[in-house]
Amino acid sequence: MNKSIVILISGRGSNMEALLKSRLPCRVAAVISNKADAEGLNIAQSHGIPTAVVSHRDHPDRVSFDTALAGVIDGFRPDFVILAGFMRILTEGFVNRYKGRLINIHPSLLPAYGGLDTHERALHDGVKIHGCTVHFVTPDLDHGPIIIQAAVPVLCHDTPQTLAKRVLHEEHRIYPQAIRWLCRNQIELNEDGRVILRHRKQVGHALISPSLE
Ligand code: GRF
């Protein structure tokens, strides 16, 4: 295992936990939170992973927070920085420092529904298919090159909570897969900023929602 990652969280850390349980082909050097009471910190510790807190409240502005955060991250010398429910908007300087090495998971089929309250907005619009996306982070919020997506049907009695649960289940499947590809050098970014998967047969099945009779 010659690659290592640092995972950034802000809360419950279920995606982080899915990564820790996935026997990734890399070392998880640390889990860092911007909140001292993030539940995910206890989960990381129970897996024997070093943790750190860099509180945004200790900093007067984003640049100062991001500089402190980068200092702690760099102390662990990770190959990749993995955002897993990290609820801070990062400065352009921070994002560019980790160009091609900063990954995020977002609970929608990007580029639809960037930002917050994705499940509520999808339900409000009456879409029949929703999902989640793992992507490289660029300064353009929720718009970086897409690595993998999972689609789920939206059901007629869905609430934001039931839909979130169905999407989260898929998040826990696609995030470990994306990190595995990255750590095995199977992902390439082409000149157009699109993700190419090396040595992968492309197969796929249509998801039709509601299903055909
Ligand atoms: C997930 O839905 C993730 O897609 C989004 O924030 C949520 C974090 O959940 N970025 P958890 O902390 O991983 O449980």
Side-chain angles (χ1 to χ4, degrees), residues 4 44-46 49 59 69 77 87 96 117 123 140 205:
S4 70
Q45 284 157 10
S46 72
I49 308 294
H59 296 274
L69 180 62
R77 305 174 64 81
M87 302 304 286
N96 288 336
D117 303 325
L123 286 173
D140 198 3
H205 308 279

Side-chain angles (χ1 to χ4, degrees), residues 132-165:
C132 48
T133 304
V134 178
H135 64 100
F136 285 98
V137 178
T138 61
D140 198 3
L141 187 70
D142 295 331
H143 267 86
I146 292 171
I147 299 172
I148 184 170
Q149 296 184 300
V152 304
V154 178
L155 307 180
C156 62
H157 297 301
D158 263 333
T159 62
Q161 292 71 31
T162 59
L163 183 55
K165 190 171 172 203

